[in-house]
Amino acid sequence: MKTYAIIGNQYEGLYTQPWSKVQPLTKTRPAPKFKGFDSKASAQIWFDQEKASQNLRHRQYTTVYDGAFTAEPQRYYIFTDGGNRNTGNHAGGHVKPTDKAAWAIAIYQGPNLTQPLYTDSQAYLGRTNNDMEVQALLHALEAAEKFTEPFTIVSDSKYVLDTVTNWMYNWQRAGWKKASGPIANLASWQKIFTLVTAQADRLAFIWVKGHASSAGNIMVDQLLNTAMDQL
RNA sequence: CCUGAAGCCAUG
DNA sequence: CATGGCTTCAGG
């Protein structure tokens, strides 16, 4: 019997009604995955496999475009940021050994994210911006080992957030290989994998738009810039 | 190779 | 405000 499977919205399940009845159930936000099958059995197999891989897929992050989110009381919020000054960039150019780079973190406790409890930063020469974003995450996770409260990592880097929440699990399952080319900043990601899997039960992630009125994001941006100034 | 996303810079 | 390059990734 012709069967349609829907996964990922409020209508998740198997349907044997005609497509004209099922199609409206797929037009939702967020968009679901859906597929048609010739038998209910094959639909069930696909559904179970998708569901299993969905369970294996790890936590997502919430996105915040206006910089404002409600902070839970007693929860810790660690803002992270990284940057470099790629002076005199030109076509075909790369990060020079003399380019300054830095990462910074700032730890707050909810619900009032006004005064950081702790800040840290470090400047280097000749490192990439993304390397610094990853370093910031790594140091945030290491700092979190010093307390036991639940905590949230706040970053403005999709590269960092997509990797901690999704890609690094795929890379790890594949023996630390990705679709094409070598994995950048591999050693850092392997350390982060260990730290995140150990603390997963009290860890969440938020993405904020860079420089968009988030006090914590602006704070770490200033911290890493003064770190570069002092280098 | 192309598409997409985010970040980081430089110059005017 | 605008143009242009580099760091990273996934998917087609």
Side-chain angles (χ1 to χ4, degrees):
Chain A
M1 188 193 315
K2 190 76 183 168
T3 305
Y4 300 97
I6 299 179
I7 281 199
N9 68 4
Q10 65 264 47
Y11 302 117
E12 187 165 288
L14 302 184
Y15 296 85
T16 49
Q17 291 103 315
W19 177 239
S20 58
K21 294 278 193 210
V22 178
Q23 186 175 35
L25 308 182
T26 68
K27 307 248 179 216
T28 61
R29 285 274 309 180
K33 279 189 171 184
F34 53 91
K35 194 167 177 167
F37 298 89
D38 290 330
S39 74
K40 186 164 184 180
S42 49
Q44 186 71 56
I45 287 166
W46 181 83
F47 187 88
D48 291 343
Q49 279 174 353
E50 284 297 316
K51 205 61 190 164
S53 82
Q54 183 179 304
N55 290 339
L56 277 181
R57 201 154 36 224
H58 291 253
R59 75 202 55 248
Q60 284 298 313
Y61 52 87
T62 37
T63 61
V64 176
Y65 278 91
D66 58 7
F69 54 88
T70 37
E72 300 169 20
Q74 139 270 340
R75 188 180 192 93
Y76 281 79
Y77 290 82
I78 311 183
F79 288 78
T80 69
D81 199 9
N84 81 329
R85 289 179 184 153
N86 199 356
T87 51
N89 210 344
H90 62 282
H94 296 296
V95 176
K96 297 177 188 169
T98 50
D99 289 341
K100 293 181 178 184
W103 57 263
I105 66 174
I107 305 182
Y108 299 75
Q109 188 169 26
N112 289 324
L113 307 185
T114 47
Q115 214 70 8
L117 304 177
Y118 173 83
T119 65
D120 196 9
S121 62
Q122 175 73 48
Y124 302 87
L125 291 174
R127 309 276 217 106
T128 67
N129 68 315
N130 280 341
D131 185 3
M132 291 297 99
E133 301 272 12
V134 176
Q135 289 303 312
L137 169 62
L138 182 53
H139 283 87
L141 291 167
E142 284 170 352
E145 291 187 303
K146 299 190 179 114
F147 57 82
T148 56
E149 285 83 355
F151 67 105
T152 295
I153 303 272
V154 187
S155 170
D156 61 21
S157 169
K158 290 268 204 218
Y159 164 55
V160 161
L161 260 2
D162 283 333
T163 304
V164 249
T165 57
N166 271 319
W167 301 334
M168 79 172 179
Y169 298 97
N170 300 334
W171 301 345
Q172 192 270 341
R173 273 198 299 273
W176 293 103
K177 292 208 169 53
K178 69 177 181 63
S180 69
I183 296 172
N185 312 305
L186 175 59
S188 300
W189 284 120
Q190 289 174 325
K191 287 182 203 163
I192 287 167
F193 184 88
T194 304
L195 290 168
V196 167
T197 49
Q199 315 192 60
D201 51 315
R202 66 186 179 107
L203 175 55
F205 296 95
I206 291 181
W207 176 83
V208 288
K209 176 117 187 81
H211 308 262
S213 83
S214 169
N217 184 257
I218 290 164
M219 162 69 80
V220 284
D221 188 68
Q222 286 168 356
L223 281 174
L224 74 89
N225 274 291
T226 55
M228 286 192 283
D229 290 341
Q230 288 163 6
L231 187 66

